[in-house]
Amino acid sequence: MIRVKIMACGLNFADLLMCQGKYQDTPEPPFTLGMEVAGVVDALGPDTDGPAVGSRVAVFGGQGGLAEYGCFPANRAVLLPDDMSFDDAAALQIAYGTSHLALDYKARLQPGETLLVLGAAGGVGLTAVEIGHAMGAKVIACARGAEKLEVARRAGADHLIDAASEDIRERVRALGGADVVYDPVGGDQFKSAFRACNPEARLLPIGFASGDVPQIPANHLLVKNLTVMGLYWGGYLAFKPEVVTDSLATLLSWHREGRIKPHVSHALPLAQAGDGLELLRSRKSTGKVVIRPHE
C-alpha cells in the first residue's frame, strides 16, 4: 500500500449513485466518496517497493478520494509527467479512460465514421467528443442548451444538436446517420439515437444519467445488424487490467502531445465537496468537477 497526499480528486456521477446505494461497485458503508485522485506519495506500507516517496501519481482507488490523505494499492498508481497538473490528472482517469476504451477497444471507431455523443458536455461525454475527433471521426454532439453545445464544439464536435429543442433522430438522419453511438444518458435520447443508426452501427451504453435504463428491442437489432456493447471501465481492473493500463499510457502520451486537454469547469476546496456533487446532480457543470483537499 502507499499513502498519498491528495492534491486533487475528480468527482463522477458514480459518486452520486454510491450515495443512493445504486452503483454496481458501492462499498459497504461507512466509506469515503472519491474514486480518482492525484497527489504525492508520502509513505510506503510494509513490503511496498514503490512508487518512491515524493512521486507524483494518479490513482484510481474506487473510494477514499475526498480526504487530505488516502491509502491505496501501489499497483493502482500511475506516475505522472512533471508538467501535468494534479487537476488534469484527477480529471483524466475515469472519463478519458472510459471513452478511449469504449471508442477504441470496444467499438473500433474508424476515421471518417460518424460518432454520435449524447450528454456531450458532461464528464464523460465531452471526452468522447475530444477522443472521437482525435481518432478522425465526424462527431455529432448532443447536449442541452447553447452554452453546453459551445463547450462541445470547442472540444472538436463537427455538428451540434440541442436535446432540449431539436429532434435527435431527424437531425442525425439528415447528417447521414450514426455509425457509433456513445450514450451516458439513456432514456428517450437512447431511443432516438437507436432509430438513427446506420446498418452495422455500434451502440455503447455507458451510463443512465436520465435515470431511465432503456430496454432494447432485440428484433430491431436484427434488421440493421446492430451491435450493443456495454462498458464498465472499472470492471477491467478485476479481470483484464492491462487493457486499462495500456489505455492510460496512450492517454498520457496524447496529453503530452497536446491532443487532449481535460476541461475542468469547477475546482473547489474539500469543504465544498457537497456543492461539487450538487453541480453534477443538477447538470450545471461541464467536463469535470475537481476537489482540492489542501486548498
Side-chain angles (χ1 to χ4, degrees):
M1 297 289 285
I2 59 173
R3 189 173 69 190
V4 177
K5 181 179 181 181
I6 299 169
M7 304 305 295
C9 174
L11 297 184
N12 293 274
F13 194 79
D15 290 308
L16 295 175
L17 296 178
M18 282 188 189
C19 291
Q20 303 167 24
K22 295 180 179 179
Y23 190 58
Q24 57 262 31
D25 269 352
T26 299
E28 286 293 324
F31 63 91
T32 300
L33 293 173
M35 302 175 71
E36 56 184 336
V37 304
V40 179
V41 177
D42 87 318
L44 301 180
D47 301 318
T48 301
D49 296 328
V53 171
S55 299
R56 303 172 76 253
V57 295
V59 183
F60 171 76
Q63 60 172 303
L66 290 180
E68 294 180 341
Y69 293 84
C71 294
F72 306 100
N75 62 3
R76 293 284 186 94
V78 178
L79 291 173
L80 297 178
D82 290 338
D83 60 351
M84 187 175 195
S85 73
F86 290 122
D87 282 3
D88 278 6
L92 183 138
Q93 294 176 86
I94 296 175
Y96 280 92
T98 295
S99 293
H100 185 250
L101 281 194
L103 298 178
D104 183 60
Y105 181 76
K106 296 286 282 189
R108 307 292 183 187
L109 178 67
Q110 299 299 309
E113 287 191 312
T114 297
L115 167 66
L116 170 61
V117 180
L118 305 179
V124 290
L126 193 61
T127 65
V129 171
E130 195 173 358
I131 289 174
H133 174 74
M135 293 177 69
K138 180 175 77 172
V139 181
I140 304 172
C142 181
R144 291 183 178 273
E147 182 178 349
K148 290 187 175 182
L149 288 172
E150 174 58 21
V151 172
R153 185 194 65 77
R154 292 199 301 267
D158 300 288
H159 302 280
L160 307 174
I161 298 175
D162 191 335
S165 60
E166 298 185 81
D167 187 313
I168 296 172
R169 177 194 181 195
E170 292 305 318
R171 280 293 315 281
V172 174
R173 291 180 69 175
L175 291 168
D179 300 308
V180 175
V181 174
Y182 183 98
D183 177 23
V185 178
D188 289 340
Q189 291 193 34
F190 178 90
K191 296 173 186 176
S192 296
F194 187 93
R195 298 172 68 190
C197 282
N198 292 327
E200 294 193 322
R202 291 87 76 200
L203 297 99
L204 295 153
I206 302 299
F208 313 103
S210 68
D212 181 357
V213 179
Q215 303 304 301
I216 300 167
N219 58 319
H220 291 185
L221 296 175
L222 306 183
V223 176
K224 290 186 178 180
N225 289 288
L226 304 179
T227 303
V228 180
M229 303 174 172
L231 179 84
Y232 168 41
W233 179 83
Y236 277 99
L237 292 169
F239 70 93
K240 218 172 188 180
E242 68 276 9
V243 172
V244 172
T245 54
D246 289 349
S247 172
L248 286 176
T250 296
L251 291 169
L252 289 173
S253 174
W254 285 6
H255 185 274
R256 282 194 302 271
E257 296 166 5
R259 296 177 66 183
I260 58 174
K261 171 61 179 172
H263 173 81
V264 177
S265 66
H266 297 80
L268 304 172
L270 185 58
Q272 292 180 245
D275 296 333
L277 291 168
E278 177 59 23
L279 287 168
L280 297 186
R281 190 199 64 77
S282 61
R283 303 184 192 181
K284 292 181 179 178
S285 61
T286 56
K288 292 288 284 191
V289 176
V290 167
I291 302 301
R292 297 170 176 167
H294 290 273
E295 186 170 278

